[in-house]
Amino acid sequence: MPDKLGTIMHFEGNRFWFEGDRGFEVFEIDATTEPFKIDYWEAGTAVQGIFKIVGSTLVDCSAPPGVSRPTSFDPTAHPRYILVEAQRSSDDK
């Protein structure tokens, strides 16, 4: 997602959006699995992913609708997987 490089991501409650977006997506997490699962929902369609938090960094590997959920953080495992690494802002508590 080169167009999102340097963009601020917001997570509030069960909502997620990129800075400048007009709307938001709803997300659900399952922290009972390893790796943790995350699903981003928009208009009844889910983007399935996995995530981990390492210190103040969120690492998320997701698959577009119709592609199986990743099982590792290797974006080369499928040509459509997206790996995101996001640093928590020092302004966040």
Side-chain angles (χ1 to χ4, degrees):
M1 298 175 47
D3 62 319
K4 299 295 185 189
L5 187 62
T7 303
I8 296 173
M9 301 166 64
H10 296 273
F11 290 87
E12 184 176 301
N14 69 338
R15 296 178 180 181
F16 159 79
W17 67 96
F18 286 102
E19 189 77 24
D21 283 356
R22 294 185 192 158
F24 60 87
E25 295 177 27
V26 173
F27 69 92
E28 297 174 342
I29 62 171
D30 180 355
T32 65
T33 64
E34 188 64 36
F36 301 144
K37 293 179 183 177
I38 188 164
D39 293 334
Y40 300 96
W41 291 90
E42 183 177 27
T45 303
V47 169
Q48 297 181 332
I50 56 174
F51 76 98
K52 63 183 174 181
I53 298 174
V54 181
S56 61
T57 302
L58 168 69
V59 181
D60 178 304
C61 190
S62 300
V67 176
S68 312
R69 181 188 310 275
T71 57
S72 73
F73 294 94
D74 177 9
T76 64
H78 191 284
R80 296 190 63 203
Y81 284 172
I82 299 169
L83 182 69
V84 174
E85 292 186 12
Q87 185 71 36
R88 174 175 237 153
S89 168
S90 59
D91 296 339
D92 290 341
K93 296 176 177 126

